[in-house]
Amino acid sequence: MMKCVFVTGTDTDCGKTHVVVSIIKSLQEECLLTCGFKPIASGARAASKADVQSLHAVALGDMVNEDAVRLSNASQLNIPYATLNPYCLEPAIAPHVAALEAGIEVSHTEFDAAFERLRHTHALKTPIHNGKQSAQPDVVVVEGAGGWCVPLNPRETIADWAVAHNMPVIIVVGLKLGCINHALLTAQAVLASGAPLVGWVANQVSAQPMSRQAETLAYLEAHMPVERLVTLGYSPDDTSAWPAPARQRLIKAIGCNRAEASA
Ligand SMILES: Nc1ncnc2c1ncn2[C@@H]1O[C@H](COP(=O)(O)OP(=O)(O)OP(=O)(O)O)[C@@H](O)[C@H]1O
Ligand SMILES: C[C@H](N)[C@H](N)CCCCCC(=O)O
Ligand SMILES: [Mg+2]
């Protein structure tokens, strides 16, 4: 049974993509075939020659989003770009505004269709140890857009889609002044929506730790309604797997079972 997890955060730029890539690597380390999913992205560029080589079903000049590129490159499966990122909007602005300006109607139905295609069997970039050339993902790690309440259109948010699918939710807390309030409000909103909130990640987003980082973490530890899965330090070029105990917390939070893994 394919598992999924929805990663939201305290704000745009809190480090969701950074954390999603590290989650993908962590689950791969646990022999779970894992891919990312970015249902909607705002902020796109024309695909370069390097993108055409690394991405699946992308032509030179097609619009691609950097988050989705990073998710695709981290995946072990060759998933068509448009499946991994069904909505790729050009300006780096609120998605509902970008969609309106482009004359595009964003719909959960399109998310569902792409998510369904993700479930299919895809070619593996490198055959795994038992010689398998293709497989279905064991886990899909979904990256939201901005924070939990970001709208898609006047009626729906991206969170509504996660809630409709009862996806376990992880909150990324970008460690900076103001994050206590943002983290607690986000946790309250997730719980109020009825989604299963399964953990949070403390993510150091600046080279220097924020002032009184230890005290901030201690307060969050005591007041967040779920456990902290891991604390990630500042590491611009490193999105490697989490330490083993944190990986175990992650697997438990998502409800994965290594025995079910196809790898
Ligand atoms: N732990 C970290 N160490 C170093 N750099 C980080 C870390 N976390 C995030 N960053 C950097 O901070 C910036 C914002 O992070 P990221 O793109 O992951 O945010 P995001 O929440 O995914 O934003 P968006 O809402 O646009 O999707 C990026 O340049 C990223 O490389
Ligand atoms: C463009 C940016 N990097 C994100 N992808 C979108 C952030 C939307 C934030 C909307 C808001 O909360 O005001
Ligand atoms: Mg991102």
Side-chain angles (χ1 to χ4, degrees), residues 8-20 38 42 65 67 70 143-147 172 202-207 232-239:
T8 188
T10 41
D11 202 353
T12 185
D13 275 345
C14 67
K16 293 183 302 297
T17 305
H18 187 90
V19 171
V20 165
K38 180 87 185 176
S42 51
N65 164 264
D67 292 8
R70 292 187 63 196
E143 180 183 346
V172 176
N203 184 42
Q204 188 181 324
V205 285
S206 50
L232 299 182
Y234 185 73
S235 57
D237 303 312
D238 175 26
T239 41

